[in-house]
Amino acid sequence: MHHFAYIDQNLHCESVDLAAVASLYGTPTYVYSAATIESNYRRLLAGFPGLDVQICYAMKANSNLAILRHLHNLGAGYDLVSGGEIRRVVAAGGDLQRSVFAGVGKSEDEIRLALENGVFAFHVESEPELVRINHVAGTLGRVAPVAIRINPDVDARTHAKITTGKSGNKFGISLAQASLVHEAVAKLKHVALKGVQMHIGSQLTATGPFVEAVQKVLPFVSELKRSHDIGYFSIGGGMGIVYQDALASGRAEWWERRDQAQRPITPESYGAALTPLLEPLGLKILLEHGRFMVGNAGILLTQVEYLKRASGKNFLVVDAGMNDLIRPAMYEGYHEIVPLHRDTSRRAMVADVVGPICESSDCFAHDYQLQEVGEGETLALMSAGAYGYSMASRYNSRLLPAEVLVKGSSFELISARETFEQLIANERIPAFL
Ligand code: LLP
């Protein structure tokens, strides 16, 4: 469910007419719904009744300070992966004490920063990393809280580029090696074992792989609970969202029309499948979802520059490019495209919806059917709230887009469009030229 819908043929986010946002701030612009984020957060939490659950929002999905603050106000900590993300949490007034630090390449500086800010735990991905954390903690006279990230070798049945829990992936430690690592923890003076973590991949559309992975890791977790009195088990993130029927999936009727077996994964089905496995542990459970929290809460507004009619093909050239939203080019990601103004009297057209970047991969959709639209009209790329702006670049010297947050009938800019001066601010022409 989300809060994007047509009211009188005009696409709205909550009570805000998106045409007003486009005319005030221009395009391309990301727009997020605060109400959708809040409802996603609450539904996920409600999926695990009776369990002690902490949501550590995977902020790589969308790390705008306003989004971080909104989730902090709801009670979230964060799953973070870099010094930059740690500093963002501090800048947003978020809570490092409820946050976990993941990633295979933590530098000494990042480890120090995390320790100084009192991070809840480090999710350790290798033995050398453990040794480094121990060393840095020692120099600060601290004991670093750590959890072992297990790679359960489970097929997440998602896109290869976002699968993380197979044995060939760089992430985590195999169950076979994990006992050695936890023995290593016991020998090191400046680390203390607090938990176990796993994360098998992103955009999972079924509960099966989650269940399989949890079942595989459970015996190890139970053993560590007995021997080390660990306090938590993080089952990672990865819950998928609806991309194909994105606009319709905002309405309750869309879900009701599907029988239970056909429904895409929901926080309710996810929670129902996992709660019986996790409850007997009696541990705190961490959830690290990113995409689920913000994916369907955001769209990308873009304006049509040209309708180019080529031999046997139409190209709808829009002003957003792969630099603004790279998911289609990088993961064959699908984003539904809808006009801001719906006009049922118009004929349908079929076109490739492409950006202005000089690469053929700069294409949001091939042979896409939508109502006939032309120059100057605005479109929305749906479900773009996760891994949209956070993966944007300046390729082709394009300026980073604007971001707007909507709440009820209010909306505000939460990141201004980049300026050309900012784009070149760090560049210098050396004197020897
Ligand atoms: N925890 C860990 C350790 C992760 O590596 C990730 C995501 C998450 C949690 C959150 O996963 P989520 O709930 O968002 O699926 N850029 C790609 C997705 C990359 C995900 C990377 N890791 C995309 O646009 O599809």
Side-chain angles (χ1 to χ4, degrees), residues 58 60 79 162 199 202 238 288-291 327 331 387 391:
K60 61 174 82 67
D79 163 50
I162 48 177
H199 171 74
S202 198
E288 303 171 7
H289 296 279
R291 187 192 314 266
R327 301 196 65 265
Y331 314 104
Y387 306 108
M391 294 183 80

Side-chain angles (χ1 to χ4, degrees), residues 368-391:
Y368 196 81
Q369 181 167 332
L370 74 172
Q371 115 194 351
E372 213 159 43
V373 284
E375 203 174 313
E377 291 191 76
T378 309
L379 306 174
L381 287 145
M382 302 300 296
S383 311
Y387 306 108
Y389 188 93
S390 66
M391 294 183 80

Side-chain angles (χ1 to χ4, degrees), residues 14-258:
E14 303 189 27
S15 307
V16 171
D17 186 339
L18 288 165
V21 177
S23 78
L24 195 58
Y25 297 120
T27 51
T29 292
Y30 280 95
V31 184
Y32 311 116
S33 156
T36 304
I37 295 173
E38 177 167 353
S39 117
N40 289 343
Y41 180 88
R42 294 198 190 285
R43 279 178 67 198
L44 182 57
L45 212 53
F48 295 83
L51 260 70
D52 175 13
V53 170
Q54 172 67 54
I55 295 180
C56 294
Y57 164 61
M59 61 181 280
K60 61 174 82 67
N62 186 324
S63 55
N64 183 287
L65 299 186
I67 304 291
L68 299 185
R69 171 68 67 88
H70 183 38
L71 280 156
H72 167 77
N73 290 344
L74 292 167
Y78 310 92
D79 163 50
L80 32 87
V81 291
S82 71
E85 288 195 347
I86 295 173
R87 297 184 68 179
R88 275 185 177 274
V89 170
V90 174
D95 198 347
L96 256 302
Q97 287 81 34
R98 270 184 280 172
S99 304
V100 289
F101 187 9
V104 295
K106 301 174 188 80
S107 72
E108 285 204 10
D109 284 348
E110 289 174 325
I111 293 169
R112 194 169 304 111
L113 190 63
L115 280 168
E116 283 167 352
N117 283 284
V119 76
F120 181 68
F122 291 85
H123 287 167
V124 175
E125 310 234 11
S126 68
E127 209 172 327
E129 182 196 324
L130 186 68
V131 171
R132 182 180 286 183
I133 294 172
N134 182 66
H135 167 72
V136 177
T139 61
L140 295 175
R142 301 264 184 95
V143 174
V146 299
I148 300 176
R149 175 171 179 175
I150 299 293
N151 180 329
D153 193 20
V154 163
D155 184 358
R157 287 181 254 142
T158 182
H159 194 280
K161 286 186 183 165
I162 48 177
T163 293
T164 54
K166 281 295 285 174
S167 61
N169 301 133
K170 68 179 174 180
F171 301 99
I173 296 165
S174 70
L175 277 166
Q177 277 188 323
S179 314
L180 298 176
V181 173
H182 103 251
E183 281 164 25
V185 175
K187 291 196 197 106
L188 298 170
K189 281 212 300 261
H190 295 283
V191 289
L193 193 61
K194 299 287 180 194
V196 176
Q197 195 263 3
M198 56 161 244
H199 171 74
I200 57 172
S202 198
Q203 184 54 19
L204 273 73
T205 51
T207 56
F210 287 117
V211 170
E212 195 188 332
V214 167
Q215 277 170 337
K216 268 183 114 167
V217 180
L218 268 182
F220 180 68
V221 181
S222 308
E223 184 200 313
L224 286 195
K225 194 189 171 210
R226 272 195 305 276
S227 60
H228 280 68
D229 200 24
I230 57 165
Y232 79 93
F233 180 24
S234 173
I235 60 169
M239 204 192 333
I241 61 166
V242 177
Y243 281 106
Q244 206 72 34
D245 232 355
L247 186 62
S249 73
R251 297 195 304 268
E253 310 89 77
W254 186 87
W255 295 89
E256 281 154 18
R257 272 205 310 274
R258 282 167 171 69

